[in-house]
Amino acid sequence: MNQTTAPAEFLGHPKGLFVCFLTEMWERFAFYGMKALLLLYLVKHHGFDDADGYILLGTYAGLAYALPLLGGMLADRYLGMRKAVLFGGALLVLGQLGMAMTGTPAQDGIRDEFAIQLMYASLALIAVGVGFLKPNISTIVGRLYAENDARRDSAFSIFYMGINVGAFMSSLIVGYVGETYGWGYGFALGGIMMGLGLVQFVLGQKHLLGQAEPANPALLTQPAFAGLSREWLIYITALIGVVAVWQVLQVRIDFAPLNALLGGHEVTLTELVAVVAGGLLYAWFTWLMFSGIDAIARGKMIMLLVLTTVSALFWGLYEMTYGPWVTMAERAMDRTTFGIEWTAGQTTAIGALCVIAMSPLFAWLWPRLDKAGMNPGYPAKFAWALVFCGGSFGVLAYAAANPGSDGLVSLWWMILAYVVLVLGEMVLSPIGLAAVTALSIPRVVSTMMGAWFLFSAFGEMIAGRLATAAAITPAADGSISAAQALAVYGPFFTQMMWIGLAAGVLMFIASPLLNRLTR
Ligand code: GLN
């Protein structure tokens, strides 16, 4: 960074950090508020069955984590981060407002197909919008600091806090508004706040110190096709992309052998594309391993790929918090604490609150463990993450098997489950981001960061798929009793617990082997 005058600071950080913090906070506000409502909305408003709801939630959220790979590349090469954030933000606002047009609720099997199409189109706008905004707002944060600036790690901790403050507020507020006053009001609120976040970004852009501008502005204004500048060509192609995603989201492939494997729930085109993308990534990686890199770099890269792959399983369990955890809260939970009856969607706020509470604790812990020579390596941390994750499902499985005298599970069990789960998140999510920057060879670090999020995308889809095993068919009058629900959730959560614990144990066993790779 070439600075002749010192940039304006706030709390010892460049002011631009707080511009990014607030933008990402409102982006996550919109994203997680919507996610807290989405499954309930699909099932209760549009008459989706559980399995189709879980699968759509998984494929949509999966796309929202996969597209940042493209959004990051486009910004690096052409748009620059600032323009990408503005464009992505605009798509997000439109998508949220589109979601707000909810149409009429399904009745007697008759669904409002027009409103449902509008919803798919809105989900596509949001997924593409996240693709443009999320990777690039994070990149700007990194660019506000010189290469060797010691404040960089704390900047990212502050930024991760913004993510979770946004998620926490929106689960509480959007969850409440959406479930109490009407789904559309919740979605619209997310859109309005995202819009205000963008206004804030525009007003504050001078604090980005020119670090988010296109690498080669001339390239953007050059006519590229049919008299259109390259910049406009990118925007128009992205809009065509939205139309494509809108359609792809709806395609299910009826292929008997796969159906049998997936419990009768047809595979989605999105999942097939994801499998191909994963295959291509491994192929590219293999090629990279043989392209003349030295043994030490190769060892680190292999370790990184293993960690990234394992993260998909972690997220595959974790993201069920927006699926079966929410439906369990809806159907079989006494959600009253401190005299307040929380809505089912609001329970997702607990996770973000735990992250906010635990972040300072872990920031304090790692340097201390390091000094004592007791800081576990990356593989052991990931092993712990899987064990905690499995443990959290164990807590809920136990609770489901032991409901109170009213037949309902107490919200306190869910709070405990979230505490255990987020212990896992703390030793995997921020650690994974750090691992990408520490283990990757420099020339592919952006791609590896994109790959890290691509595996979050796989996690979302895995979560949607796994959750179909917890699908519940309502009685003829559309109701689901708490007892009926718990009879499904109990055994299902027990299975998920074993998956997490077994994967954790395997990771512990593999840990010394993996550590040898980096020595
Ligand atoms: N909760 C974090 C975010 O929203 C990380 C999620 C993930 O990597 N899957 O940014």
Side-chain angles (χ1 to χ4, degrees), residues 238-250:
L239 291 177
I240 296 171
V242 171
V243 176
V245 171
W246 168 21
Q247 297 308 316
V248 167
L249 265 179
Q250 305 183 53

Side-chain angles (χ1 to χ4, degrees), residues 137-220:
I137 196 80
S138 325
T139 315
I140 301 175
V141 173
R143 286 191 167 215
L144 294 172
Y145 299 84
E147 197 73 57
N148 52 359
D149 194 322
R151 297 173 301 173
R152 177 188 297 267
D153 278 358
S154 82
F156 273 102
S157 315
I158 294 172
F159 184 72
Y160 204 75
M161 207 69 138
I163 289 176
N164 286 286
V165 173
F168 173 67
M169 290 192 304
S170 71
S171 311
L172 282 187
I173 302 170
V174 174
Y176 178 75
V177 170
E179 285 172 89
T180 313
Y181 295 105
W183 308 104
Y185 293 108
F187 297 136
L189 183 60
I192 291 166
M193 299 319 286
M194 178 70 246
L196 291 178
L198 267 192
V199 170
Q200 176 277 138
F201 181 78
V202 171
L203 294 177
Q205 56 189 339
K206 59 178 179 291
H207 296 301
L208 306 180
L209 315 171
Q211 290 297 321
E213 296 309 307
N216 182 354
L219 211 57
L220 275 183

Side-chain angles (χ1 to χ4, degrees), residues 13 17 19-20 67 77 90 94 99 141 147 160 266 294 391 395 397 403 446 448 465 470 495:
H13 281 274
L17 172 64
V19 175
C20 295
L67 291 172
R77 283 198 199 159
L94 285 178
M99 285 297 293
V141 173
E147 197 73 57
Y160 204 75
E266 298 142 347
D294 65 58
V395 170
S446 306
M448 290 311 289
R465 261 310 141 183
Q495 283 175 338

Side-chain angles (χ1 to χ4, degrees), residues 35 102 115 200 221 253 332 338 382 412 439 517:
K35 209 171 171 195
T102 53
Q200 176 277 138
T221 46
I253 294 160
F338 313 117
F382 275 49
W412 287 104
L439 295 176
L517 276 174

